Amino acid sequence: MEIERALVTQYGLMDAFVVPTAPQAEDTNESIARAAAMYLANRLKENDFINVGYGDTPGKLPNHLATIAEHPVSCVSLTGGVNNYLPNARSNIFNARLYLMPAPLVASSPEMATAMRSEASVKEILRMIRLSAYTLVGIGGMGESATILREGILNKGDFTLLHMQGAVGDVLSHFIDKDGTLVPTHI
């Protein structure tokens, strides 16, 4: 309780929830997603929408939330990359509605990104994002196990270049340095 109060004060948060370390390091993201689902399940109202970001941990959250929520959960993808948002095959109960951005996570060119943002189906998701009650994102790392590298979204060369430019992580594929400043990139 002490650490949560300190985080709320230090960062100007409304609330904080500290998740204990998982016994096995490879279970950390799963533990965080499960805890986030429990946290949200107690706060969601029946018609709330939740924005969900791309990444391993946020991608696990809808599965956990949909199995414990009292009423259907509505999740809106914050990015393209549809595969990351699809239900986990292990879920035997999936009480959720998914609203997915029909686009890749990374466009092949700035012109393609502009064209995709002009599509009616993408515009509809962007409108839904603004109306959601909660937004869940992860902070991706710059290590060999980074989701964006492991899933082939970025190649090793782009990843190395970003690292050399000072990137220490990403939020929704927007790379940041140690101070949280955006790293200029062609991606």
Side-chain angles (χ1 to χ4, degrees):
M1 228 20 148
E2 223 25 64
I3 192 164
E4 284 95 344
R5 278 194 289 269
L7 290 169
V8 166
T9 302
Q10 181 177 354
Y11 295 105
L13 304 172
M14 292 175 55
D15 199 2
F17 187 72
V18 176
V19 180
T21 303
Q24 304 295 321
E26 62 272 9
D27 295 334
T28 299
N29 291 357
E30 193 73 41
S31 293
I32 293 169
R34 189 177 301 114
M38 291 185 302
Y39 178 87
L40 274 174
N42 293 326
R43 288 158 177 76
L44 281 176
K45 296 182 187 82
E46 188 166 349
N47 294 314
D48 283 347
F49 281 71
I50 303 166
N51 294 325
V52 180
Y54 175 85
D56 187 54
T57 305
K60 294 175 185 307
L61 183 118
N63 287 299
H64 290 295
L65 188 57
T67 58
I68 62 174
E70 293 178 18
H71 41 275
V73 177
S74 295
C75 296
V76 182
S77 66
L78 285 170
T79 68
V82 171
N83 195 39
N84 186 67
Y85 296 100
L86 297 178
N88 184 315
R90 294 176 299 172
S91 298
N92 56 359
I93 301 169
F94 194 73
N95 193 19
R97 290 181 224 115
L98 302 175
Y99 299 91
L100 305 176
M101 190 171 302
L105 179 62
V106 176
S108 59
S109 69
E111 296 80 19
M112 181 59 74
T114 300
M116 285 188 287
R117 279 192 291 271
S118 299
E119 289 294 321
S121 55
V122 172
K123 284 182 175 180
E124 183 61 28
I125 296 297
L126 293 173
R127 281 191 291 272
M128 292 175 79
I129 287 169
R130 290 190 296 270
L131 300 173
S132 293
Y134 297 93
T135 297
L136 304 162
V137 297
I139 300 171
M142 292 298 291
E144 292 294 321
S145 64
T147 304
I148 202 162
L149 183 61
R150 191 179 67 241
E151 295 195 3
I153 304 300
L154 289 185
N155 66 46
K156 183 75 171 158
D158 284 336
F159 201 72
T160 300
L161 179 60
L162 285 162
H163 191 70
M164 290 171 67
Q165 292 173 306
V168 297
D170 79 285
V171 178
L172 301 175
S173 301
H174 296 273
F175 291 86
I176 55 174
D177 66 16
K178 64 181 176 49
D179 299 317
T181 305
L182 284 175
V183 172
T185 177
H186 69 283
I187 300 168

